[in-house]
Amino acid sequence: MEVFNSTLGSGFILVGILNDSGFPEMLCAIIIALYFLALTSNGLLLLVITMDARLHMPMYLLLWQLSLMDLLQPSVIIPKAVLDFLLKDNTISFGGCAFQMFLALTLGSAEDLLLSFMAYDRYVAICHPLNYTILMSQKVCYLMIATSWILASLSALGYSMYTMQYPFCKSRQIRHLFCEIPPLLKLACGDTSTYELMVYLMGVTLLFPALAAILTSYSLILLTVLHMPSNEGRKKALVTCSSHLTVVGMWYGGAIFMYILPSSFHSPKQDNISSVFYMIVTPALNPLIYSLRNNEVIEALKRVLGKKFSVHSTF
């Protein structure tokens, strides 16, 4: 089978959801709106947590990291996809494709681990409040953050390098919004069955243990909450946990569909929709879910905005 030299040639052509849609202009406008929502909401949450000293505690430090990841994730994909659509140029270089894949994998894997650490934080806060400062000290919190980024980066580097070492077939079209492992493997000339199994095992190894830890943590939290004597404390705990579980459901649903289900169970169009959901929609909605249902964040937002308006009014 003839192959093209993707390292010296013009790389790949991304044929994503914007090109396959029956209403590309409207879909492009929706994606742009979601992207700006992700930028503004996550940026605002980062600002509030940074400026308000009352939020400098493990729960909100982890939330700060989640907002950072949710700000960066769509930024890896959307600006290029929209510019390509507007300029009618969907090409991406071999190196650009590899770099985009590495960033997307890093941010996705890091968020996967971070969500499990956030669930553990809520478990300790609700089930072991007297030991919270010991079990969730600043040192432990920073260790969790470092672990998320380091393990995710190493995993992403290995899989990105291994994916891009394949010879790719003459067709340069990647039927996806961005460079991701499953769509790229469909262009490979060699036997990818063993590697596809490795990707599947990567998905199982990263997603299922973290998801099991999250479900275990919230199951224990629910049991503790049901025995709380205070209705107010019970309501606050349930609101916080329901927000977290909403985020978990949106994120893991799309990720499991993409990396756990065999490729024969989904089409390129379904892959695009799934990726848009967990790489664009979820980052846009996460800060709204946390901020709108968290009184401490809302009060901190009022204090920060109040300070800014008072400063401007003095000039």
Side-chain angles (χ1 to χ4, degrees), residues 63-84:
L63 181 56
W64 194 95
Q65 289 293 318
L66 181 66
S67 292
L68 177 63
M69 294 172 187
D70 285 341
L71 187 147
L72 294 175
Q73 266 187 0
S75 298
V76 171
I77 303 165
I78 301 305
K80 175 168 177 52
V82 171
L83 282 176
D84 286 353

Side-chain angles (χ1 to χ4, degrees), residues 155-218:
S155 173
L157 181 63
Y159 279 98
S160 298
M161 291 177 63
Y162 199 89
T163 300
M164 301 309 288
Q165 57 86 34
Y166 276 102
F168 294 99
C169 297
K170 188 173 183 178
S171 173
R172 297 163 49 214
Q173 290 190 352
I174 302 173
R175 298 187 63 82
H176 205 57
L177 187 63
F178 64 100
C179 289
E180 201 167 11
I181 294 176
L184 262 173
L185 289 182
K186 293 178 182 178
L187 304 183
C189 294
D191 179 17
T192 62
S193 56
T194 302
Y195 183 55
E196 285 182 34
L197 178 61
M198 289 173 59
V199 173
Y200 168 80
L201 292 176
M202 174 195 73
V204 171
T205 303
L206 281 174
L207 293 173
F208 281 166
L211 183 58
I214 291 170
L215 294 177
T216 300
S217 296
Y218 284 112

Side-chain angles (χ1 to χ4, degrees), residues 5-36:
N5 189 341
S6 52
T7 58
L8 299 177
S10 53
F12 301 99
I13 300 173
L14 293 169
V15 184
I17 193 170
L18 291 174
N19 304 94
D20 289 339
S21 170
F23 306 95
E25 291 81 8
M26 184 175 69
L27 183 58
C28 182
I30 292 173
I31 288 178
I32 290 173
L34 285 172
Y35 178 55
F36 278 108

Side-chain angles (χ1 to χ4, degrees), residues 94-159:
F94 182 87
C97 185
F99 187 56
Q100 188 183 57
M101 184 194 304
F102 167 74
L103 291 177
L105 283 173
T106 298
L107 292 165
S109 301
E111 182 159 336
D112 172 52
L113 294 170
L114 188 71
L115 287 173
S116 63
F117 290 140
M118 292 176 73
Y120 172 76
D121 170 74
R122 290 300 83 206
Y123 161 73
V124 174
I126 295 171
C127 300
H128 303 282
L130 298 178
N131 295 322
Y132 182 78
T133 55
I134 299 173
L135 297 175
M136 276 302 300
S137 63
Q138 293 275 14
K139 184 177 180 180
V140 171
C141 180
Y142 288 129
L143 180 62
M144 288 178 171
I145 293 169
T147 300
S148 298
W149 283 107
I150 292 171
L151 290 183
S153 299
L154 292 176
S155 173
L157 181 63
Y159 279 98

